[in-house]
Amino acid sequence: MKILFICGTFSPGKDGVGDYINKMSHALTKKGHEINIIAIRDKYCNELYKEIKSTENNSLSISCISNKVKLKKRFIYTQKIINEFNPDWISLQFVPFGFNKKGIPFWLPNFINKLEGEFCLEIMFHELWIGRKIGIKNKLVSFLQETNIKNLLRKNKPKVIHTHLPVYFSNIEKLGYKPFKLPLFSNISPTKDIILNKKENTFIWAFFSQINITPKIINFINKINIELHEKGIISELIIIGGEKTKNLKYKEIYKKLCPLFKTITITGFLDEKEISTLMQHCDIGITPIPLHALGKSGTTAAFLAHGIPIAVPVISKGYTEENIGFFDSSVINSIITKAKLCNISKAKIAAENNKHKFDIDYVNSIFLQNLK
């Protein structure tokens, strides 16, 4: 199959959606599919950047068009690449702020509609519109974003629509369309054949990449740590990745607010193999991501891909404990929302049984089946 991915920015390590497409594309080329990528509004390149990467079974062509390029010229570049590649599918990776700094890319529906070729269109909605609960400005932006998405769907009539989150799935259905469910794969692949040297009588918590301090998070940790302490189990915290200077400040605050942590370790930057090895030594991940948004969290996917259950103390206003951001009920059992030690062992079993569902080949098989 020949698939052309269109995104806003591609530059690896600088854009979440760009990294998502990069990993997905490499995995697809290994299976023999032909893949092209166009970033049509890239923040990090000048004019037009092209690169061809060799992969196991195919080459991968990447084109980045600067956000400074005029719209007409941007269209000409894009159409030329389509003519040369002749894709079976165009996959539009939609994030509103990826195509416009204010999050309202009014130009995009017509841009996609005018593209010529014998291709089918798929749209992956990584995000929809912002919430409307606070402020007149937010309500206006949200309304305009929804209108823009309606225009994108109405003018282009995609054959397939994908999204990661149940709340997005529901909102797309309300617009009169039938989306497909596509889980998020982990960017951190589990390292195999490592020797686990887990400390006896020790329970290890971990934040990965994203960390925050809120009363809900602190209370959650302290409740579990009290139970552990009563059983004579030592509690430790590891802060994986992230900016070291910033995390040093978090370390000092957590020392004061969670006094039952015997040690708090900051790793700083680690490569993929080092992150994976460290994760496999953890007992639980904890995230500041709100419960309803878990399905589009790369950090959550990484923990679950390693069979590590994840604690989610934060529930956004307007949502309940029922609004867990996964479609799969067996995956939902890996999530801990109530701070009780007995819940962790059950969640661990569920996480271990479902970790294959965050593997890129598993997700790509769903993606390709939906296209077929």
Side-chain angles (χ1 to χ4, degrees), residues 261-276:
F261 280 134
K262 184 181 180 184
T263 61
I264 299 177
T265 306
I266 293 172
T267 69
F269 176 80
L270 298 174
D271 64 29
E272 185 175 338
K273 186 176 180 180
E274 290 170 323
I275 293 169
S276 176

Side-chain angles (χ1 to χ4, degrees), residues 20-34:
Y20 172 85
I21 299 168
N22 189 32
K23 187 145 189 166
M24 193 172 192
S25 297
H26 275 84
L28 287 167
T29 58
K30 285 179 184 178
K31 299 293 183 183
H33 299 282
E34 293 182 60

Side-chain angles (χ1 to χ4, degrees), residues 123 153 158-163 169 172-181:
I123 301 179
L153 292 168
K159 296 281 185 186
V160 172
I161 299 169
H162 280 124
T163 193
F169 186 93
I172 293 167
E173 280 193 319
K174 287 173 185 174
L175 296 180
Y177 298 87
K178 290 187 176 181
F180 285 91
K181 304 167 184 177

